[in-house]
Amino acid sequence: MSSQLMPIPEEFFAFENGQPFTHCQICNKPLLTGNSDYFIEKVIRNYPGQGVQDVVYEYAVCWHCAEENSQRMSEESLQNIQAYFNAQMAFLYQVQEYQQRWPEISNPLPDHCLVTGQSKADLDEYMIYGHFRGDQMVRSTMPYLFSGQVLDELGECLSEKTRDELDDFRDKYFGGPPELEELWKSRRPVFF
Ligand SMILES: [Zn+2]
């Protein structure tokens, strides 16, 4: 049986220094030593054909903080998001395929948006999300890639209450470079 773990792909390294994330963004717990589970979410601004990228925001959050923060979402928001994904047949199919085939997949990170199918190289903006343990990626959990369009649609699933909560939260713990403020102010962390 194949190992559930693999080295962390460089795409999930911190943009700032090109190294793996070392601490939980919220509680500051060290992530690389030991066996604790954590998640990384990054939104990349891409300039197709120019070979340059910016990061809109990026963070690593430990399992415990992720669990606590999912409770910030209102019932209504959670139901809307669930309904959104339940209607994405291509996405559901790829998740199912991945669950059956992950031991054979050597490069798990999708090269296209899992909802719209657009190639990563053609997207102005996209988000990647993955599950990690210590200095490894948990490859039995499918890493996601979503286009900016999907992030917008997910944003529309959120109730006003959840939006306010997430905005406060974002302002407290996150924050991108000032020159990209317009971008990251329009984005909320999605997955925890
Ligand atoms: Zn934490």
Side-chain angles (χ1 to χ4, degrees), residues 3-39:
S3 168
Q4 265 192 295
L5 302 175
M6 66 180 279
I8 300 173
E10 283 184 24
E11 286 203 60
F12 281 107
F13 286 5
F15 191 80
E16 206 178 285
N17 58 13
Q19 300 289 318
F21 287 90
T22 54
H23 291 83
C24 171
Q25 180 86 20
I26 298 168
C27 71
N28 215 30
K29 175 190 160 95
L31 299 172
L32 290 174
T33 47
N35 280 323
S36 41
D37 283 53
Y38 62 100
F39 305 94

Side-chain angles (χ1 to χ4, degrees), residues 2-177:
S2 282
S3 168
Q4 265 192 295
L5 302 175
M6 66 180 279
I8 300 173
E10 283 184 24
E11 286 203 60
F12 281 107
F13 286 5
F15 191 80
E16 206 178 285
N17 58 13
Q19 300 289 318
F21 287 90
T22 54
H23 291 83
C24 171
Q25 180 86 20
I26 298 168
C27 71
N28 215 30
K29 175 190 160 95
L31 299 172
L32 290 174
T33 47
N35 280 323
S36 41
D37 283 53
Y38 62 100
F39 305 94
I40 293 172
E41 181 175 321
K42 294 178 72 152
V43 173
I44 306 292
R45 177 82 196 172
N46 201 21
Y47 304 92
Q50 293 181 43
V52 257
Q53 289 190 330
D54 281 317
V55 67
V56 177
Y57 69 76
E58 59 179 6
Y59 63 83
V61 175
C62 76
W63 182 84
H64 180 77
C65 289
E67 187 78 354
E68 269 193 0
N69 281 294
S70 68
Q71 290 162 14
R72 284 167 192 276
M73 294 266 204
S74 70
E75 189 75 13
E76 185 193 347
S77 302
L78 290 171
Q79 280 172 7
N80 290 345
I81 288 174
Q82 183 102 51
Y84 176 81
F85 282 118
N86 282 344
Q88 306 301 332
M89 300 319 284
F91 170 73
L92 296 175
Y93 176 77
Q94 289 171 93
V95 171
Q96 197 182 28
E97 274 275 298
Y98 190 90
Q99 282 163 355
Q100 288 163 6
R101 295 192 40 227
W102 68 262
E104 309 153 29
I105 298 172
S106 56
N107 183 10
L109 193 61
D111 62 359
H112 59 277
C113 172
L114 293 174
V115 172
T116 67
Q118 287 161 292
S119 161
K120 183 172 86 173
D122 296 334
L123 294 169
D124 295 338
E125 193 179 19
Y126 61 87
M127 182 261 258
I128 55 174
Y129 174 83
H131 177 188
F132 302 83
R133 185 174 302 148
D135 62 357
Q136 302 282 302
M137 180 162 94
V138 180
R139 58 196 279 262
S140 49
T141 306
M142 186 183 193
Y144 289 156
L145 190 154
F146 292 128
S147 59
Q149 181 196 326
V150 174
L151 299 181
D152 288 340
E153 288 167 5
L154 284 169
E156 283 161 22
C157 292
L158 302 177
S159 67
E160 203 171 323
K161 183 168 175 289
T162 300
R163 276 179 209 190
D164 290 346
E165 285 259 4
L166 291 181
D167 284 353
D168 288 351
F169 181 76
R170 180 199 57 208
D171 292 346
K172 188 164 169 200
Y173 292 104
F174 303 102

